[in-house]
Amino acid sequence: MRIPFIKMHGLGNDFIMLDAREADLPKLSEHSVAALANRHTGIGCDQLILLEPSETADFRMRIYNSDGGEVEACGNAARAVALLHGAPATVETDGGTISLSPSDAGARVDMGAPRFEWDAIPFDYAMDTAAMPVSWEMLDNPSAVNVGNPHVIFFVRDTEAVPLDRLGPLIEHDPLFPERINVNVADISSGAINLRVWERGAGLTKACGTGACATAVAAIRRGLLGDAAEGVVRCLYGEVLAG
């Protein structure tokens, strides 16, 4: 069977886009998504995006990571969908309804309000999400934010000095996070944030939209950005707003 697809990316975070809003497509299984996402024997992507009809919004966006698992939100994919759709729209996701529109600079997305409750991340047990009393080797006292999907953020002196390829999966699968977690390491210099992300189910990616939003929100919450806060959000992630 031949199925049309579009390949897109946001800052190197790449997607296979399938449009089922007006045409039926075969049902996706975890195995078939992982096979399509394979960079050697498939098409290759960080996430596969499926657009479907919605009863509550203009359409629905479903998001699958490269391991085949379905997740709640993807900010960079939302930007790509805004350009693909070509007009303002409300979009149903498993992380909530978002709004998006193409703009002269590319795309504008409102990801909705961030959540900070421990059971909204979720954690396995109650704890402060602003400065968590936990550590993994050199990484300690992170913040946690849910911006449609869950993120833990570590503020460090030098993101490049962190062995995220080793610590990322360790933290992602820690029992503290029953639904796994996206892992961000960030440093702040001259009012800008340098960010690296280990995405659950995808691994190290070149960019992560929800990670950028979550990190900016966590930095604002900790008072690390001052008056530059709004500018940093846009610097990190184009025209995408953190909510």
Side-chain angles (χ1 to χ4, degrees):
M1 179 179 293
R2 293 181 177 272
I3 300 174
F5 71 91
I6 295 175
K7 186 75 183 289
M8 303 182 75
H9 79 91
L11 301 175
N13 180 196
D14 63 335
F15 318 105
I16 297 170
M17 315 291 285
L18 300 179
D19 194 342
R21 290 176 291 182
E22 296 181 358
D24 291 334
L25 297 180
K27 186 175 180 179
L28 293 172
S29 67
E30 188 171 307
H31 174 76
S32 63
V33 171
L36 289 169
N38 189 294
R39 296 190 182 280
H40 300 288
T41 57
I43 299 168
C45 68
D46 292 319
Q47 281 86 27
L48 182 146
I49 308 302
L50 176 64
L51 303 182
E52 296 180 329
S54 170
E55 295 182 357
T56 61
D58 292 320
F59 55 90
R60 182 184 183 193
M61 178 173 70
R62 298 180 67 179
I63 304 137
Y64 299 86
N65 278 336
S66 58
D67 67 351
E70 189 169 4
V71 295
E72 303 92 338
C74 183
N76 265 323
R79 293 201 301 158
V81 169
L83 296 180
L84 184 64
H85 182 63
T90 58
V91 181
E92 176 190 356
T93 74
D94 284 352
T97 299
I98 62 175
S99 60
L100 51 80
S101 62
S103 71
D104 292 340
R108 186 179 184 89
V109 179
D110 186 341
M111 296 298 295
R115 297 189 63 186
F116 306 108
E117 306 89 354
W118 71 270
D119 54 351
I121 305 301
F123 296 157
D124 190 48
Y125 52 87
M127 118 177 20
D128 178 21
T129 61
M132 298 163 56
V134 295
S135 64
W136 291 266
E137 299 183 19
M138 67 176 66
L139 299 177
D140 61 1
N141 296 115
S143 295
V145 184
N146 190 314
V147 287
N149 58 8
H151 288 266
V152 62
I153 304 101
F154 298 88
F155 292 100
V156 299
R157 290 189 177 184
D158 180 5
T159 61
E160 296 300 327
V162 177
L164 195 55
D165 55 342
R166 180 173 61 82
L167 293 179
L170 181 69
I171 300 169
E172 175 193 351
H173 293 280
D174 192 285
L176 176 61
F177 309 110
E179 296 181 11
R180 298 188 294 166
I181 199 81
N182 296 288
V183 184
N184 305 258
V185 292
D187 64 63
I188 300 175
S189 175
S190 301
I193 298 177
N194 300 309
L195 178 66
R196 295 175 64 210
V197 184
W198 175 275
E199 291 196 55
R200 60 174 178 169
L204 287 170
T205 53
K206 292 184 179 297
C208 178
T210 57
C213 291
T215 300
V217 168
I220 293 167
R221 193 180 183 203
R222 284 196 174 185
L224 300 177
L225 295 178
D227 295 337
E230 185 175 347
V232 171
V233 176
R234 292 198 170 98
C235 177
L236 274 171
Y237 197 37
E239 285 289 297
V240 175
L241 303 180

